[in-house]
Amino acid sequence: MKTFAKIRFYYGASVISFIAAGIMVPLLIISRKNHSWILHYFNRLIMILIGGKIVQHGKLDESIDMVVSNHQGIIDIVALEASQDIDFQWVAKKQLFDTPWFGFLLKLPNMIEVDRENKSGLIKLLTDVKNTIQNDKERIIAIFPEGTRTDKQALLPFKGGTRIVAEKLELTIQPIVITNSKRLLNEHNRTAHSATVHITYLEPFKVSKKNKEWYEEMRQKMQKCIDEEENKYKRER
């Protein structure tokens, strides 16, 4: 069974790579204005081809400025794009933008690049988010505050950049918890299985500078949801 799970992982990774590099990038080059439809449609196709399903708990509030989510791997992005018709503007580290060919998946739809090694990176992030909030009301910022993937149940400490931007711009945020995506395609041990990805939408809220604990309180609510998913339904994050 483990051998089959390994084979299935490489099949799933190949499907994602082929559709992303061989279909989505060329289509984005040809028609950047249709980037949202391209991302939604082909991520839904990826989910079908790798044996994945999606169940949503709650509802995305389309009036928010930003969603924040836990992060296990690429399936988190695939599943969220596949489950919604909203035009997400993902925040990603500079190294991903610099990846040959695949970087076009971020550059062409005008995602937000963050250079963590540059002191001006936070200023650029703040400027880019502010520009979207003010000039592109159809888009919602999407960010992983942990800053990287992890295979642990416990959330990593949240990076400070998300908090600073949210407080400066007084954003309305909706936390999201994604579970079971690692079961579908596990980039950590390179195994894959048929699986249902669960997306739970927590209550949105407007960030207030008066509440200095809001960031940690949000993290604790997300962790509570993650723990309940595992304890009640055996769904790992």
Side-chain angles (χ1 to χ4, degrees), residues 6-18:
K6 291 281 187 182
I7 294 172
R8 187 160 187 158
F9 168 82
Y10 288 105
Y11 161 75
S14 297
V15 167
I16 293 172
S17 296
F18 174 75

Side-chain angles (χ1 to χ4, degrees), residues 153-156 177 218-228 237:
Q153 281 297 104
L155 289 166
L156 297 175
V177 169
M218 178 181 71
R219 183 181 176 278
Q220 290 176 5
K221 288 178 181 178
M222 293 172 69
Q223 185 65 62
K224 181 180 178 181
C225 182
I226 289 169
D227 293 340
E228 288 178 350
R237 81 122 173 174

Side-chain angles (χ1 to χ4, degrees), residues 6-224:
K6 291 281 187 182
I7 294 172
R8 187 160 187 158
F9 168 82
Y10 288 105
Y11 161 75
S14 297
V15 167
I16 293 172
S17 296
F18 174 75
I19 291 179
I23 299 178
M24 294 169 70
V25 168
L27 287 177
L28 288 169
I29 292 173
I30 294 170
S31 182
R32 293 180 65 171
K33 66 179 181 180
N34 292 318
H35 71 267
S36 184
W37 178 88
I38 292 169
L39 294 176
H40 295 315
Y41 179 84
F42 285 101
N43 278 299
R44 287 168 188 155
L45 179 61
I46 287 172
M47 289 294 292
I48 293 170
L49 292 177
I50 65 176
K53 296 180 180 179
I54 301 170
V55 172
Q56 300 182 76
H57 308 275
K59 187 177 180 181
L60 179 69
D61 185 336
E62 297 183 10
S63 68
I64 61 171
D65 302 311
M66 175 185 284
V67 296
V68 299
S69 174
N70 58 304
H71 189 32
Q72 296 78 239
I74 187 65
I75 296 300
D76 301 328
I77 299 171
V78 173
L80 196 54
E81 287 283 359
S83 67
Q84 294 290 336
D85 291 318
I86 292 294
D87 188 4
F88 290 110
Q89 188 176 34
W90 293 91
V91 177
K93 58 186 178 182
K94 182 179 184 296
Q95 291 89 330
L96 295 177
F97 279 79
D98 294 338
T99 303
W101 195 249
F102 286 97
F104 285 119
L105 278 176
L106 297 169
K107 295 175 183 176
L108 293 172
N110 192 31
M111 303 305 182
I112 296 177
E113 175 185 330
V114 177
D115 186 354
R116 296 175 184 166
E117 298 178 2
N118 192 320
K119 292 182 179 179
S120 64
L122 181 58
I123 297 174
K124 181 181 181 301
L125 174 61
L126 181 62
T127 301
D128 288 345
V129 171
K130 183 178 181 180
N131 181 64
T132 296
I133 299 304
Q134 293 181 343
N135 302 315
D136 197 346
K137 300 294 185 181
E138 299 300 316
R139 302 197 84 174
I140 291 177
I141 308 296
I143 193 167
F144 299 120
E146 292 173 281
T148 189
R149 301 171 297 171
T150 179
D151 62 345
K152 308 300 182 184
Q153 281 297 104
L155 289 166
L156 297 175
F158 284 0
K159 302 292 185 182
T162 304
R163 177 181 59 80
I164 292 171
V165 170
E167 289 181 355
K168 286 282 187 181
L169 301 178
E170 297 185 322
L171 301 181
T172 299
I173 291 177
Q174 185 166 23
I176 294 176
V177 169
I178 301 174
T179 54
N180 227 36
S181 63
K182 195 169 59 180
R183 173 75 178 170
L184 183 59
L185 192 79
N186 192 326
E187 299 168 40
H188 306 278
N189 66 13
R190 299 189 177 183
T191 58
H193 307 80
S194 294
T196 299
V197 178
H198 290 258
I199 304 174
T200 302
Y201 299 95
L202 304 182
E203 284 296 313
F205 64 94
K206 187 174 181 62
V207 173
S208 172
K209 296 177 182 177
K210 295 180 180 179
N211 181 8
K212 302 298 182 182
E213 303 301 321
W214 73 267
Y215 202 43
E216 180 58 25
E217 289 172 358
M218 178 181 71
R219 183 181 176 278
Q220 290 176 5
K221 288 178 181 178
M222 293 172 69
Q223 185 65 62
K224 181 180 178 181

